[in-house]
Amino acid sequence: MFSKVYSATLTGIEAVIVQVEADVASGLPCLELVGYLACEVKEAGKRVKVALKNSNYLLPPRRITINLSPADLKKEGTAFDLPISVAVLAAAGFLSTKQLNNIMFAGELSLDGKLNAVAGILPMICEAKKQEFTCCIVPKANLAEGVFVTGIKVLGAENLVQVINYLLGKGCLTEKLEKKQEHVCLTEQKYIKPLDFCEVFGQKIAKRAIEIAVAGWHNLMLFGAPGSGKSMLAKRIPTIMPQLTIKQQLELYKVYSVAGKLLKDPFCIDQRPFCAPHHTITQAAFTGGGKRPRPGEISLAVHGVLFLDELPEFSRNVLETLREPLEEKKITITRTGGKNTYPADFLFVAAMNLCPCGYYPDRSRCHCTESQIQKYLGKISKALLDRIDLCTEVISNQYEELQDEMKENETSESIQKRILMAHQIQRKRYQNLEILYNSQLNSTQISQFCKLREPENKFLKQAFEKFRFSTRAYHRILKVARTIADLENKEEIQKNHLAQAISYRMTEQNSLEGEKEWIR
């Protein structure tokens, strides 16, 4: 007898529906699985047979063949245990095959028949809804992830017996709540701000650069002596970011679902993520990958902040992998089994010293040689530096500044209001385009939205020739200037906007003599 049920497998943060076909025929008793399977899927046959036995379902001594289609797509993970069990029981005559056409199954089985949570349930539910399935049956531990998708019934089961009884009409399963009682949806959560920019004394120039970076989603570099406040400033960036859109929320939760971050706490994300990996991180952990690919730090930071402190201390290989994601806003991991694409649309913020000891150019404290400084700064390639839109120095405060600024520090809320206004201007300007921020403009769109009058064009030409900017640097200066104009609610880019954008640029100068040009 033949039966067919439906499950799903992951490709990046998206899911693909998989048909689990079972056939019970005469022949030597065995259970064979085919369909381009990873090791953990091949082992599912042994788990399924023992789990069925311990759930009081004895299979006939026949030849059972399981095929997971499409056969040219590699199947990974343990989520196929439950659909394989259901398909085998239906093929053996325990269940009616008609009632299985509109249900998607996913879940890992223990030997006693208990259903264990699996990673990536949220993308599977999203794809099931897209393919017009009416119901998804998943482990009860994954049920909370179904809250983020409306318009489809999601049921949770604790063990295989509960699933079979439900399909036989002898019991019921736990259904997801349309609105959580213990937790509220991310869209309804109060935007918690445990940190605030009012706690940072002084640093007006650095705060201005951060405001511009968030307003236009521009990459940012902070440099200065140890203890000047670079990390303190970076950690407060999420507090001035606007709340996520519905589309951004769903993409963020998909990434965390695939990474297995929602298994312990499905509601662990209460604001935009802030990821700050240590400089000893490996390339696979940073970009994603592994034998069974999973999202890395650059994907876990999607729609939030990726902060790299002590940038030159990171491996050169790790830093160079940033070049494509900073341009394409995605990262593709290629393995023999196929390609996995993960989102990488984050705000890149880096911090660094100007020498190994950190005190250059204060020669009263810095004793590094010129060659040591050049070698230290040379760890960061020109190609990566060119992708950084804003660079600003974080200067150590004087004692008087700490006293005078205590009553004058601007709060995150007031900074956020200006950023929200700039975002509204950009959304209105780009409403017919698939972009949200000025940093996403391509060369054609720059010509359309960043037009300069004759005086401004002449000024930019002089700067371009003097500092020998690359074409990429030229475009980024225009985009930053467009953001500065938006913050001031100006329709046209003015000379002072260009001057400010140029002052935040790094040039390719990487010598001690050209240090001031290199860091500006």
Side-chain angles (χ1 to χ4, degrees):
M1 187 175 175
F2 172 82
S3 70
K4 180 169 62 177
V5 302
Y6 297 92
S7 185
T9 189
L10 299 173
T11 57
I13 65 165
E14 302 298 332
V16 177
I17 296 298
V18 173
Q19 299 179 17
V20 181
E21 303 169 333
D23 180 75
V24 177
S26 301
L28 292 175
C30 69
L31 195 154
E32 183 180 14
L33 285 88
V34 296
Y36 197 11
L37 313 176
C39 293
E40 62 270 20
V41 185
K42 293 178 181 178
E43 295 169 351
K46 298 178 181 179
R47 291 193 297 271
V48 166
K49 285 197 295 185
V50 177
L52 288 172
K53 176 183 72 69
N54 290 330
S55 300
N56 298 320
Y57 290 99
L58 299 178
L59 298 178
R62 310 284 292 277
R63 181 180 183 84
I64 303 174
T65 303
I66 307 294
N67 176 47
L68 276 63
S69 176
D72 61 344
L73 178 66
K74 190 169 185 179
K75 323 303 185 305
E76 296 179 318
T78 57
F80 294 107
D81 291 6
L82 177 59
I84 289 173
S85 301
V86 174
V88 169
L89 290 175
F94 290 95
L95 297 171
S96 171
T97 57
K98 294 182 179 179
Q99 67 189 96
L100 305 176
N101 293 332
N102 294 315
I103 303 176
M104 191 210 74
F105 299 87
E108 177 188 324
L109 282 174
S110 294
L111 296 183
D112 60 355
K114 180 183 176 182
L115 276 175
N116 299 322
V118 294
I121 285 293
L122 180 55
M124 296 180 188
I125 296 174
C126 292
E127 183 63 21
K129 178 188 176 182
K130 183 178 178 181
Q131 298 298 329
E132 298 183 348
F133 284 84
T134 59
C135 177
C136 294
I137 297 180
V138 301
K140 191 174 181 179
N142 286 120
L143 186 60
E145 294 184 42
V147 174
F148 307 109
V149 185
T150 58
I152 185 171
K153 181 188 289 186
V154 182
L155 303 175
E158 294 182 353
N159 52 58
L160 180 60
V161 174
Q162 287 184 358
V163 176
I164 304 306
N165 288 340
Y166 172 78
L167 296 174
L168 292 173
K170 297 180 181 179
C172 60
L173 298 177
T174 305
E175 187 171 355
K176 69 166 186 178
L177 298 176
E178 289 301 326
K179 288 189 177 181
K180 301 179 287 236
Q181 294 178 351
E182 297 180 357
H183 303 271
V184 293
C185 293
L186 187 60
T187 53
E188 301 171 351
Q189 284 182 335
K190 184 178 180 181
Y191 197 54
I192 301 173
K193 298 181 180 178
L195 303 174
D196 199 286
F197 269 98
C198 67
E199 301 166 344
V200 182
F201 303 139
Q203 307 298 354
K204 291 183 178 180
I205 296 176
K207 289 178 181 178
R208 173 63 173 173
I210 289 173
E211 180 180 339
I212 297 170
V214 177
W217 209 249
H218 302 289
N219 302 321
L220 173 68
M221 168 77 80
L222 303 172
F223 65 91
S228 59
K230 301 185 295 293
S231 300
M232 188 177 186
L233 286 164
K235 290 177 181 178
R236 283 155 177 78
I237 292 178
T239 67
I240 61 174
M241 288 180 161
Q243 294 193 36
L244 294 163
T245 65
I246 299 297
K247 182 179 179 181
Q248 290 172 339
Q249 291 172 28
L250 187 57
E251 185 175 47
L252 178 61
Y253 269 93
K254 278 185 178 181
V255 171
Y256 276 70
S257 177
V258 171
K261 301 289 185 179
L262 302 184
L263 297 180
K264 293 183 179 180
D265 183 6
F267 313 104
C268 60
I269 309 171
D270 57 3
Q271 63 178 6
R272 289 179 183 262
F274 178 86
C275 296
H278 193 261
H279 61 78
T280 57
I281 190 171
T282 63
Q283 184 175 337
F286 188 69
T287 61
K291 185 177 180 181
R292 187 180 170 198
R294 284 288 181 267
E297 287 291 322
I298 64 176
S299 295
L300 295 175
V302 66
H303 303 309
V305 178
L306 177 66
F307 177 54
L308 301 188
D309 199 6
E310 303 297 340
L311 188 67
E313 299 297 337
F314 281 80
S315 164
R316 181 69 177 259
N317 291 336
V318 169
L319 293 180
E320 290 305 301
T321 58
L322 272 173
R323 290 163 60 176
E324 180 186 354
L326 288 177
E327 293 288 340
E328 303 297 331
K329 303 303 180 183
K330 61 183 179 180
I331 180 73
T332 300
I333 309 298
T334 304
R335 295 290 183 269
T336 54
K339 294 183 179 180
N340 292 276
T341 300
Y342 302 110
D345 187 4
F346 51 81
L347 182 66
F348 177 55
V349 180
M352 61 177 287
N353 303 323
L354 294 179
C355 69
C357 74
Y359 293 108
Y360 180 84
D362 183 1
R363 282 305 190 179
S364 64
R365 305 177 71 183
C366 174
H367 302 288
C368 300
T369 64
E370 293 182 12
S371 61
Q372 286 176 326
I373 296 173
Q374 291 176 351
K375 182 179 179 181
Y376 182 76
L377 297 177
K379 293 180 180 179
I380 308 171
S381 70
K382 174 61 175 66
L384 180 58
L385 290 175
D386 228 14
R387 288 167 168 81
I388 296 175
D389 303 324
L390 300 163
C391 178
T392 187
E393 185 175 7
V394 182
I395 304 173
S396 299
N397 286 321
Q398 299 298 319
Y399 181 80
E400 291 76 12
E401 291 181 294
L402 298 179
Q403 299 299 313
D404 295 340
E405 293 288 338
M406 292 183 67
K407 296 182 179 180
E408 301 177 7
N409 290 337
E410 192 172 21
T411 64
S412 293
E413 185 178 0
S414 61
I415 299 174
Q416 187 186 55
K417 288 180 180 178
R418 294 194 296 270
I419 291 172
L420 289 173
M421 180 199 70
H423 282 187
Q424 290 173 357
I425 293 172
Q426 293 171 68
R427 278 196 294 270
K428 184 178 180 181
R429 181 189 300 131
Y430 309 132
Q431 59 185 343
N432 297 323
L433 303 174
E434 295 183 356
I435 61 176
L436 293 174
Y437 309 110
N438 292 325
S439 64
Q440 298 171 322
L441 292 170
N442 58 36
S443 57
T444 303
Q445 293 164 344
I446 289 173
S447 300
Q448 180 181 356
F449 298 108
C450 301
K451 293 181 180 180
L452 299 179
R453 296 172 299 182
E454 183 60 29
E456 284 75 17
N457 189 55
K458 184 178 179 181
F459 174 77
L460 183 56
K461 179 183 177 181
Q462 292 174 345
F464 183 87
E465 294 174 349
K466 178 179 180 180
F467 295 108
R468 299 178 183 179
F469 290 129
S470 65
T471 303
R472 181 186 289 115
Y474 166 76
H475 287 152
R476 289 179 181 269
I477 288 171
L478 285 174
K479 289 188 281 189
V480 172
R482 178 69 269 173
T483 300
I484 297 171
D486 290 341
L487 283 169
E488 297 180 5
N489 199 16
K490 300 292 184 181
E491 186 67 27
E492 294 183 337
I493 297 175
Q494 300 175 357
K495 188 176 179 180
N496 64 305
H497 303 149
L498 288 170
Q500 191 172 354
I502 292 171
S503 71
Y504 287 124
R505 278 302 304 174
M506 281 186 174
T507 74
E508 64 272 16
Q509 307 282 343
N510 191 8
S511 62
L512 197 60
E513 292 77 16
E515 199 64 54
K516 291 185 179 180
E517 289 185 1
W518 189 84
I519 63 177
R520 289 196 183 277

